[in-house]
Amino acid sequence: MRLSWTAFTELLRCTLLGHLRNRLALVLAIAFIPVWIAVARLCTSGHVVRIRLDAISTPVSAPAGQAGQVASALGAITMVAGFITFTETFQSREIDRRLLLAGYPRLPILLAKLAAVGLTAVHLAFYTTILLWISMPVRHAAPLALALAGAGLVYGGIGLLLGSLVRGELEGFFLIIMLSLVDTGLQNPVFNTLMDVAGVSALPLYGVNQLALSSALTSYIPWSHGLLSLTWSAATGALALLVLHTHRPRWMRGELTPVSWSP
């Protein structure tokens, strides 16, 4: 138990340091999110749109600019969280394999990465909530922050899974960007006010999108929809654990012969 806890804390520290050393990720987190929100505010008209939200079972009238800013904030967080987590996971795969060979248990490695995903999502959500609060009138800031954190958790988990699976960075970036664009595009209330596309409720951001729009634009707070993000996070984390558990270094599969050192 003591070894596992020591391994977890040390690996969590190294993972967070890896995030901080990723300068491109820091630039995206600091600059991309406010720019994306500002673009939505400037490029969206001020006319009122009627949005149908399943979470509250009633149409909602809101300025298109405000609805667009919330949708853009969700989209920005998904890309940034997915990119940060994927990059760190992909670049640290060889180090993780060496740690396994050195006797580190598998579970603390993944738990440290999951904890880093959670901390990243919380910080991104806090920062984005402040930006939205400055840019537009927000009805309920706390549940909005919870929804934004849920979006970060979902795509952070997806980035973690892809970082363990794909062979190249380009493939991972492409999958994260395309999935985020499809997910947020189909649920953007400015472009799809009815949000009645078949199967939209199965998308990763469905629950947090409903919670974010309801919290920011109405007096209702559908807390239960925010829990859907935990389901997606748990699923992607479990799959990443399975990938890590089933992976074997090449010499264990007989492709390479381990080198023995003698004094």
Side-chain angles (χ1 to χ4, degrees):
M1 176 64 72
R2 184 175 182 179
L3 175 62
S4 297
W5 175 251
T6 302
F8 169 78
T9 54
E10 182 63 22
L11 289 168
L12 177 59
R13 184 184 68 85
C14 293
T15 302
L16 294 176
L17 286 176
H19 290 337
L20 294 176
R21 290 169 182 164
N22 190 340
R23 296 183 180 179
L24 178 58
L26 291 177
V27 170
L28 285 175
I30 296 173
F32 176 70
I33 296 177
V35 167
W36 205 237
I37 293 175
V39 168
R41 179 176 181 177
L42 295 174
C43 298
T44 308
S45 65
H47 70 276
V48 175
V49 294
R50 288 181 63 82
I51 308 167
R52 180 179 176 273
L53 294 176
D54 295 336
I56 59 179
S57 302
T58 183
V60 176
S61 297
Q66 295 181 14
Q69 288 179 69
V70 176
S72 295
L74 284 171
I77 277 194
T78 58
M79 288 191 185
V80 173
F83 172 78
I84 290 175
T85 306
F86 169 78
T87 302
E88 193 282 329
T89 305
F90 184 85
Q91 294 178 350
S92 66
R93 286 196 300 191
E94 188 60 35
I95 297 177
D96 293 340
R97 294 167 186 171
R98 293 177 181 270
L99 289 174
L100 291 174
L101 293 176
Y104 272 73
R106 297 174 183 270
L107 186 59
I109 293 178
L110 180 63
L111 291 180
K113 294 182 181 298
L114 290 175
V117 169
L119 291 174
T120 301
V122 169
H123 283 85
L124 288 175
F126 181 73
Y127 176 56
T128 308
T129 302
I130 293 176
L131 294 174
L132 287 175
W133 183 273
I134 295 173
S135 180
M136 56 175 277
V138 174
R139 294 288 189 93
H140 305 285
L144 174 61
L146 177 63
L148 295 172
L153 281 175
V154 169
Y155 273 80
I158 292 174
L160 178 62
L161 178 60
L162 291 177
S164 304
L165 283 176
V166 300
R167 294 187 176 183
E169 285 186 285
L170 182 60
E171 295 94 323
F173 294 154
F174 177 80
L175 289 173
I176 290 173
I177 292 173
M178 291 307 298
L179 180 58
S180 174
L181 289 176
V182 171
D183 199 352
T184 56
L186 292 177
Q187 300 186 76
N188 191 323
V190 178
F191 306 125
N192 182 19
T193 56
L194 295 179
M195 291 189 283
D196 56 352
V197 178
V200 70
S201 59
L203 294 175
L205 288 184
Y206 173 75
V208 293
N209 186 68
Q210 295 283 317
L211 177 59
L213 290 171
S214 300
S215 302
L217 305 176
T218 75
S219 58
Y220 299 95
I221 306 176
W223 294 104
S224 59
H225 281 70
L227 298 177
L228 294 177
S229 63
L230 299 179
T231 303
W232 272 95
S233 301
T236 53
L239 289 174
L241 176 60
L242 180 62
V243 171
L244 182 64
H245 180 71
T246 56
H247 172 78
R248 292 293 184 271
R250 294 176 64 191
W251 69 266
M252 287 186 176
R253 300 196 301 263
E255 300 177 19
L256 293 175
T257 303
V259 178
S260 59
W261 297 89
S262 57

